[in-house]
């Protein structure tokens, strides 16, 4: 082989090179990277011989490999990217004496002839040319000339990187738009698609700039896998193609010793995801560095590479101005990412991965690379069944919609998803050989949850809708009917997550019948009573029908444009209306449970003293020894007065307590007049729970008027920094049909949860001059689902006109 310090040996004739190349490609046991390196060495020797045979002077002329060839590996049908470098006038016929034998041998040649100054000038205006020169490798001739060019090109690149890296990123975006994402395509372009070989070149260019570096875990293995598949594709087709066509996948799998084409695609998808995730992490690091250099960044950056070790996201803070805003318990925002708070202890907090993911997604952020790595390394698995908080945080994450996708990808990259949901591994990167489907099975599940997040106002149980969306195709990793297999799996998963038996049954029905509505509506006669009867047997309640309707639409929309249309939607809507009419004849709702002894005691005390009576009880979930209290049960009895609900909710919001559920009912324990009994379950937004004595004092001050809750909340909101949000469906405020209650008007409110939400609703109802006789408030993930039973001051249901006015007032208060 030619070295940089010795002249090349004379070349063999072109026909001898072609024969040697063919023999090398057929050599038993020589595959993968060793074969690519051997092919590059063989080509190096051949080109070096051609340079010598062309009569080139030893000094002042050099043959240089650039681009992919410059990296020292050649696929069987790769082009040869070669630069003839010279430092002054040369024989005009010299290039032709080198190029013609290459063309005669049938090789694809990308060639140029330039001086070092010309090469640098072209690179300054052509980013692709500059990237090729970053991989320049000496083949033959004047080694000092090549070394000088390499040094100058690297210097130029590092000097111009702040301006050129955004251009490089834009090239990647344009490629992704044209070629799609390698991780999800049935016929992917191994080189140009997002997550392909071109992205590896870009990552190397970023590293060469000394501004940032990619996370290297798994990256070399991913690059090796794609390169091996590309080699096998070249050999199977006999062409220099980068597209892994359906007709070629079986042959490529056989050449690689892979079980079948599906296994091949899964391996390709896994490699592409590793590369795509590394690219995302790297470009975020580049953004931070460039922002710091331009003065837009707040965080000090070390000279050279930015922080990529355990210090970032683990509580270590660089010297300099660092802006960290709380997001949730143990989670803060820093530099546009969610990272761990300094006091976070992942080893003692198994819910922390889900809490960090939910907080990031709800704030339109992603979780930093170092944070995800630390969570994966230090957090213990969740206890089984899961604590209530873990289930709520999963629902909160899914409810963020599109913002949940990059967070989910970060968790999946470090194995946190399969740790939470072991059955996920069977659907991870699983291809769907159906032209209707645009995603792999696992990504389709996530996309269905994204679509379902936009439908949470349509259902009374958004938590069940989101979890069913995430799991509806989980059975595709098993043989047989995936709906039947999925029903079995989801029963186990729901129990693992801690869902009660009734909710588990609902989830099982949704997964088992997620195709029932669309298949029945499009294949059966909707006017045939047997059609409606078949669906009513599958779904046993209006709640299940409502959830199944939303899941059906979310599933179809996430499948692809061909899976849902106005025609299909109208057929499904018509079928649902018929089934709903059939199910509406069900029995009345169960009566409300009698008050507990403690509730009766507080009600009697409040009635006798004509003053508030309350009790506070910290609630631990009891899932493991040493579990910290996760919330507070607050029971408050107060003689009826205007504005009670909004006032109490405002005090809780002042103390940064999130209302997970609440109930309001009216009692008359001693016949002296009505007493309102409020039962709350609340949790700290972040930090510790407030002291009971302080909370009690503020409640009493608010009730006697000495604490202006609304003003204090407005002042706090005005002082808080503006934080990016995520798109959410608009609030839904509706008056339920009269059959919902014979003695009151039922107002239903469904909205994205936010600090002070219940306070604003309570103030609106108070301002409308209506009485809240009973209330049922619940927060499911990040969604509030509330019902208020209203009467006029005389205790009568509201007229239709009055009810519409009250609904409009609440709608206005929610903005």
């Amino acid at each position: 082989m030619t070295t940089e310090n010795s002249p090349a040996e004379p070349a063999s004739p072109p026909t001898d090179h072609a024969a040697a190349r063919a023999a090398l490609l057929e050599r038993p046991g020589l595959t993968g990277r060793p074969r690519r390196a051997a092919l590059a060495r063989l080509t190096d020797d051949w080109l070096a011989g051609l340079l010598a045979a062309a009569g080139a002077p030893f000094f002042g002329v050099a043959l240089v490999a650039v681009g992919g060839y410059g990296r020292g590996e050649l696929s069987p049908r790769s082009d040869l990217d070669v630069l003839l470098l010279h430092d002054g006038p040369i024989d005009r016929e010299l290039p032709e004496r080198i190029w013609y034998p290459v063309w005669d041998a049938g090789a694809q040649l990308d060639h140029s002839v330039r001086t070092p100054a010309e090469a640098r000038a072209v690179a300054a205006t052509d980013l692709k040319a500059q990237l090729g020169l970053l991989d320049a490798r000496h083949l033959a001739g004047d080694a000092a000339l090549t070394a000088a060019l390499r040094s100058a090109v690297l210097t130029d690149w590092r000097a111009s990187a702040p301006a050129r890296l955004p251009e490089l990123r834009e090239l990647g975006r344009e490629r992704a738009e044209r070629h799609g994402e390698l991780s999800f395509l049935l016929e992917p372009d191994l080189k140009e698609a997002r997550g392909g070989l071109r992205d590896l070149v870009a990552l190397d260019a970023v590293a060469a700039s000394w501004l940032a570096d990619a996370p290297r875990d798994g990256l070399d293995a991913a690059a090796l896998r794609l390169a091996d598949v590309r080699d096998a594709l070249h050999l199977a087709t006999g062409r220099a193609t980068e597209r892994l066509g359906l007709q070629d996948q079986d042959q490529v799998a056989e050449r690689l010793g892979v079980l079948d084409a599906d296994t091949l695609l899964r391996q390709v998808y896994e490699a592409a995801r590793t590369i795509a995730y590394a690219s995302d992490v790297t470009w975020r690091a580049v953004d931070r560095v460039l922002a710091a250099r331009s003065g837009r960044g707040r965080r000090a950056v070390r000279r050279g590479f930015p922080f990529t070790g355990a210090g970032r996201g683990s509580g270590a803070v660089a010297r300099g101005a660092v802006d960290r805003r709380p997001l949730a318990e143990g989670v803060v925002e820093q530099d546009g990412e969610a990272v761990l708070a300094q006091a976070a202890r992942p080893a003692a907090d198994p819910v922390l991965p889900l809490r960090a993911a939910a907080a990031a997604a709800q704030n339109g952020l992603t979780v930093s690379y170092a944070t995800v790595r630390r969570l994966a390394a230090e957090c213990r698995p969740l206890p089984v069944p899961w604590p209530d908080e873990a289930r709520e945080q999963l629902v909160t994450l899914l409810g963020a919609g599109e913002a949940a996708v990059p967070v989910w990808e970060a968790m999946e990259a470090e194995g946190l998803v399969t740790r939470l949901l072991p059955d996920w591994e069977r659907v991870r990167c699983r291809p769907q050989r159906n032209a209707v489907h645009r995603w792999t099975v696992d990504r389709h599940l996530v996309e269905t949850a994204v679509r379902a997040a936009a439908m949470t106002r349509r259902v009374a149980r958004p938590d069940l809708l989101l979890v069913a969306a995430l799991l509806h195709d989980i059975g595709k990793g098993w043989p047989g009917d995936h709906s039947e297999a999925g029903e079995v799996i989801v029963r186990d998963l729901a129990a693992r997550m801690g869902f009660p038996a009734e909710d588990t049954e609902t989830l099982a029905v949704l997964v088992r019948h997620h195709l029932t509505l669309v298949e029945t509506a499009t294949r059966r006669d909707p006017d045939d009573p047997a059609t409606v009867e078949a669906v009513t047997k599958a779904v046993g309640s209006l709640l299940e029908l409502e959830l199944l309707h939303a899941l059906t639409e979310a599933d179809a929309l996430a499948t692809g444009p061909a899976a849902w249309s106005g025609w299909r939607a109208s057929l499904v809507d018509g079928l649902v209306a018929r089934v709903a009419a059939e199910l509406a004849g069900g029995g009345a709702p169960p009566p409300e449970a009698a008050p507990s002894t403690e509730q009766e005691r507080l009600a009697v005390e409040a009635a006798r003293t004509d003053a508030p009576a309350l009790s506070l009880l910290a609630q631990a979930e009891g899932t493991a020894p040493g579990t910290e209290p996760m919330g507070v049960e607050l029971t408050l009895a107060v003689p009826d007065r205007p504005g009670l609900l909004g006032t109490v909710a405002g005090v809780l919001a002042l103390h940064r307590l999130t209302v997970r559920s609440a109930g309001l009912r009216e009692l008359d324990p001693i016949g002296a007049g009505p007493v309102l009994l409020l039962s709350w379950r609340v949790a700290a937004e972040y930090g510790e729970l407030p002291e009971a004595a302080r909370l009690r004092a503020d409640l009493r001050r608010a009730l006697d008027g000495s604490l202006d809750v609304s003003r204090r909340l407005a002042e706090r909101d005005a002082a808080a920094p503006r934080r990016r949000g995520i798109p959410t469906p608009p609030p839904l405020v509706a008056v339920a049909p009269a059959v919902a209650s014979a003695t009151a008007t039922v107002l239903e409110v469904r909205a994205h949860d936010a600090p002070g939400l219940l306070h604003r609703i309570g103030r609106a109802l108070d301002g409308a001059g209506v009485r809240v006789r009973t209330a049922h408030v619940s927060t499911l993930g990040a969604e509030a689902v509330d019902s208020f039973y209203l009467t006029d001051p005389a205790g009568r249901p509201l007229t239709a006109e009055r009810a519409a006015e009250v609904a409009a007032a609440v709608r206005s208060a929610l903005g």
Side-chain angles (χ1 to χ4, degrees):
M1 177 178 175
T2 303
T3 67
E4 296 192 357
N5 297 312
S6 62
E9 294 295 327
S12 302
T15 52
D16 290 347
H17 170 73
R21 181 179 177 280
L24 186 150
L25 292 177
E26 295 297 328
R27 188 182 304 171
L30 184 61
T31 60
R33 179 172 287 167
R35 181 173 60 198
R36 289 190 292 275
L39 187 56
R41 288 194 299 270
L42 180 67
T43 306
D44 291 352
D45 293 344
W46 176 46
L47 292 176
L50 290 177
L51 180 66
F58 184 67
F59 296 103
V61 174
L63 204 58
V64 183
V66 298
Y69 181 29
R71 289 188 287 276
E73 292 189 358
L74 276 181
S75 289
R77 296 286 176 175
S78 290
D79 293 352
L80 303 181
D81 298 327
V82 182
L83 166 65
L84 182 60
L85 190 66
H86 62 97
D87 63 358
I90 60 171
D91 181 353
R92 291 185 178 183
E93 296 181 358
L94 176 63
E96 294 182 354
R97 291 198 295 270
I98 303 171
W99 309 145
Y100 272 103
V102 177
W103 291 325
D104 291 342
Q108 296 296 317
L109 180 66
D110 186 355
H111 60 89
S112 59
V113 181
R114 295 188 178 110
T115 66
E118 290 169 342
R120 294 174 67 187
V122 170
T125 58
D126 185 338
L127 180 58
K128 292 181 180 179
Q130 188 166 40
L131 295 178
L133 287 174
L134 290 177
D135 292 310
R137 180 172 59 88
H138 183 71
L139 295 178
D142 190 343
L145 192 62
T146 303
L149 176 65
R150 278 184 50 84
S151 177
V153 166
L154 284 170
T155 299
D156 293 343
W157 174 243
R158 287 162 189 156
S160 63
R164 307 220 72 176
L165 285 179
E167 183 184 352
L168 178 59
R169 172 186 254 187
E170 188 57 32
L171 282 178
R173 287 174 175 162
E174 291 173 358
R175 283 201 327 275
E177 289 177 1
R178 289 196 307 272
H179 299 281
E181 293 197 54
L182 179 51
S183 301
F184 308 117
L185 298 168
L186 279 177
E187 294 187 301
D189 188 308
L190 300 172
K191 188 174 184 180
E192 303 291 347
R194 180 174 182 266
L197 295 168
R198 286 280 191 205
D199 283 345
L200 289 168
V201 175
L203 291 178
D204 286 343
V206 173
S209 75
W210 288 357
L211 293 183
D213 194 12
R216 292 291 164 181
D217 288 348
L219 197 58
D220 286 344
L224 184 62
R225 169 50 54 182
L226 291 189
D228 287 349
V229 173
R230 184 194 191 200
D231 286 1
L233 179 62
H234 284 190
L235 292 172
T237 62
R239 295 180 290 111
T241 179
E242 312 297 340
R243 186 170 298 280
L244 184 58
L246 291 173
Q247 71 278 7
D248 303 317
Q249 291 172 9
D250 287 325
Q251 296 180 62
V252 172
E254 183 179 357
R255 281 185 172 273
L256 294 172
V258 174
L259 179 64
D260 54 27
D262 276 4
T263 304
L264 170 68
L265 279 184
R266 290 192 77 176
Q267 291 180 356
V268 168
Y269 293 163
E270 287 172 354
R273 288 193 189 183
T274 299
I275 296 167
Y277 178 60
S279 297
D280 290 341
V281 172
T282 303
W283 285 116
R284 288 201 300 271
V286 169
D287 285 344
R288 289 194 297 273
V289 174
L290 296 184
R293 288 192 168 197
S294 66
R296 292 181 288 111
R298 292 174 175 267
R299 173 174 167 269
V301 179
R302 280 183 181 168
R303 191 175 183 179
F305 292 120
F307 294 110
T308 56
R312 177 161 174 76
S314 65
V317 181
R319 292 182 178 179
V322 179
D323 193 0
R324 296 165 68 90
R325 300 185 181 93
L327 296 176
E329 179 61 28
V331 187
V332 299
E333 176 186 351
Q334 179 180 316
D335 294 331
E337 296 179 324
V339 304
L340 296 187
Q342 294 180 358
R345 297 294 179 266
D349 189 355
V351 182
L352 187 54
L354 279 172
R355 191 185 312 121
Q362 285 293 328
N363 287 278
L365 308 172
T366 191
V367 186
S368 81
Y369 171 70
T371 294
V372 179
R373 295 270 296 171
R374 184 179 172 195
L375 290 172
E378 298 183 23
C379 278
R380 302 192 314 273
L382 282 169
V384 178
W386 290 6
D388 289 347
E389 187 200 359
R391 193 169 59 255
E392 292 168 357
Q393 296 294 354
L394 174 64
V395 172
T396 302
L397 167 62
L398 299 176
E402 288 285 355
V405 175
V407 177
W408 188 272
E409 289 176 341
M411 293 175 63
E412 191 172 55
E414 297 300 330
L416 286 169
V417 171
T418 51
R419 185 185 300 181
L420 291 168
L421 307 171
D423 292 279
W424 194 262
E425 185 59 34
R426 282 184 171 265
V427 297
R428 184 174 181 271
C429 294
R430 181 173 290 276
Q432 304 200 77
R433 294 187 176 277
N434 184 323
V436 174
H437 279 278
R438 60 178 299 192
W439 306 109
T440 54
V441 177
D442 59 334
R443 182 58 180 268
H444 169 70
L445 293 176
V446 175
E447 290 290 333
T448 304
V450 168
R451 298 288 186 167
M455 303 176 185
T456 50
R457 303 295 179 269
R458 291 170 41 177
V459 298
R461 289 295 303 274
D463 56 333
L464 297 182
L465 171 62
L466 291 169
V467 172
L470 183 69
L471 300 177
H472 73 279
D473 276 347
I474 197 72
K476 285 190 173 178
W478 296 83
D481 186 318
H482 77 276
S483 298
E484 295 178 0
E487 178 185 5
V488 175
I489 296 169
V490 84
R491 288 184 188 276
D492 177 69
L493 281 176
R496 178 186 183 89
M497 293 178 183
F499 280 103
E502 183 179 356
D503 290 349
T504 297
E505 184 62 30
T506 298
L507 287 169
V509 168
L510 295 177
V511 172
R512 175 66 181 86
H513 294 289
H514 70 271
L515 297 175
T516 296
L517 288 182
V518 71
E519 289 182 347
T520 304
T522 55
R523 300 178 184 177
R524 301 278 294 273
D525 180 4
D527 295 321
D528 186 345
T531 301
V532 174
E533 182 182 358
V535 179
T536 55
K537 286 182 179 179
V539 294
S541 67
L542 286 170
L543 172 64
E544 289 180 354
L545 179 64
E546 175 185 76
L547 290 167
L548 191 60
H549 188 191
L551 176 60
T552 299
E553 184 174 343
D555 181 19
L557 290 172
T559 297
W564 195 246
S565 64
W567 171 74
R568 288 194 175 209
S570 65
L571 291 179
V572 171
D573 290 348
L575 176 61
V576 168
R578 290 178 172 85
V579 175
E582 184 72 19
L583 292 173
E592 191 170 28
S596 67
T597 302
E598 175 65 7
Q599 290 173 333
E600 288 184 338
R601 182 190 70 78
L602 291 172
V604 169
E605 180 183 343
R608 285 177 176 171
T609 62
D610 195 31
L614 62 89
S615 68
L616 289 165
L617 178 64
Q619 295 290 308
E621 297 197 50
T623 54
T627 299
E628 293 292 327
M630 298 304 298
V632 165
E633 292 286 348
L634 165 64
T635 305
L636 175 66
V638 186
D640 194 9
R641 65 182 69 184
L644 180 63
L645 178 64
T647 299
V648 176
V651 171
L652 299 181
L654 272 180
H655 285 265
R656 297 195 182 277
L657 291 173
T658 300
V659 178
R660 306 308 303 172
S661 64
L664 182 152
R665 62 196 302 182
E666 192 177 86
L667 300 176
D668 189 358
I670 60 174
V675 170
L676 292 184
L677 184 69
L678 297 96
S679 302
W680 308 77
R681 185 169 71 88
V682 298
E685 185 180 349
Y686 49 79
E688 297 181 354
L689 292 167
E691 295 180 0
R694 183 180 175 189
L695 181 60
R696 183 183 290 108
D698 282 350
L699 282 169
R700 288 175 173 166
R701 290 172 56 212
L703 292 171
D704 67 24
S706 60
L707 174 62
D708 189 338
V709 175
S710 296
R711 182 178 62 82
R712 289 280 301 277
L713 285 173
E715 290 173 349
R716 190 183 71 183
D717 291 344
R722 303 289 291 180
R723 184 179 286 149
R724 82 172 80 180
I726 59 171
T728 59
L732 175 67
V733 182
V735 179
V739 295
S741 174
T743 59
T745 297
V746 180
L747 185 72
E748 296 180 341
V749 179
R750 297 174 185 175
H752 192 76
D753 192 29
L757 175 69
L758 191 54
H759 172 66
R760 295 198 299 276
I761 295 173
R763 280 178 55 84
L765 295 175
D766 183 41
V770 297
R771 293 180 60 223
V772 181
R773 198 190 69 191
T774 307
H776 301 280
V777 174
S778 59
T779 304
L780 305 171
E783 300 299 318
V785 181
D786 305 338
S787 298
F788 302 92
Y789 287 68
L790 309 176
T791 67
D792 63 16
R796 298 176 302 232
L798 307 180
T799 65
E801 182 179 355
R802 185 78 180 96
E805 292 174 354
V806 173
V810 173
R811 200 175 293 117
S812 176
L814 298 182

